[in-house]
Amino acid sequence: MTPRTLRCANFHFYLGIVLLVLGACTYALLRQQSEPWQAIAAVGGIIVTLLWGGSYLALRYTVDAEGITRRTLAGTRRIRWAELTGARLEHKQTPGVEYKGIILQTPGATLCLGSDLLDPDDIDALLEDIRNAGIPLCAEAAEDCAPEK
C-alpha cells in the first residue's frame, strides 16, 4: 500500500479565514492612537486565531500498510491495523448535507474520521483499506461488529 496523507477538506478555507483575521488584528494592533483595550483584544484575537486555525491546518492523517497516524497540534497518535478491534460505519443524510464517518475502535481509544473534516472520497478509500486489512466492520445500527463477507 502506498502511504497517503489525508488533510482537512476545507484546508484552504480555514487558511483564508486565519489570514483574514490575523491581518485585521495586526492592523488594529499597529494602528496609531488606539486604546489599550483594542491592543489587548487584537493580541487575544491573534492568539485565539492561531490556536483555532492551527488545529485545522495541522490536522493530518497518514494511512499506510502499518496503520493510521493522526497528527494534531497536541501531538501524534499512531494506531496500527493490528490494534483495531473493529470499525463502525456511519452514514447520515439530512436535506443538503451528507455525512460519512468511520469510527475506529481499539482497546484503549476510539478514533472518529468523518466527512465533516475530511473529503468523502478519502473516507471511502479508508473504508476500502479497512476492508483489505480484515478489520471487522459494522453498520451504525448493528449491535455487534462481525467481519464482512
Side-chain angles (χ1 to χ4, degrees):
M1 168 191 296
T2 304
R4 67 180 186 284
T5 300
L6 312 177
R7 297 187 69 146
C8 183
N10 298 321
F11 176 83
H12 295 98
F13 172 75
Y14 292 121
L15 180 61
I17 295 295
V18 166
L19 293 175
L20 182 68
V21 173
L22 287 178
C25 288
T26 303
Y27 172 77
L29 191 61
L30 298 177
R31 221 176 57 166
Q32 297 293 334
Q33 300 174 346
S34 62
E35 298 292 324
W37 68 268
Q38 291 173 327
I40 292 170
V43 169
I46 289 171
I47 292 169
V48 168
T49 300
L50 289 174
L51 290 173
W52 173 82
S55 68
Y56 290 106
L57 300 176
L59 180 65
R60 190 167 300 152
Y61 296 93
T62 303
V63 182
D64 57 21
E66 297 296 318
I68 300 173
T69 303
R70 179 181 181 203
R71 181 177 158 233
T72 64
L73 282 179
T76 301
R77 169 108 166 88
R78 175 88 170 149
I79 297 178
R80 299 192 181 284
W81 294 123
E83 294 175 17
L84 291 175
T85 57
R88 191 170 77 230
L89 176 63
E90 291 186 326
H91 191 260
K92 298 175 186 170
Q93 183 91 28
T94 58
V97 178
E98 179 182 10
Y99 173 81
K100 289 181 184 179
I102 299 174
I103 299 173
L104 302 174
Q105 302 160 343
T106 66
T110 301
L111 177 63
C112 300
L113 302 160
S115 61
D116 52 345
L117 286 178
L118 298 174
D119 190 298
D121 292 336
D122 290 337
I123 299 294
D124 291 337
L126 182 59
L127 182 61
E128 192 61 33
D129 292 336
I130 290 169
R131 286 184 176 131
N132 291 338
I135 297 165
L137 184 68
C138 64
E140 182 179 10
E143 292 183 14
D144 61 337
C145 292
E148 285 194 343
K149 302 198 184 231

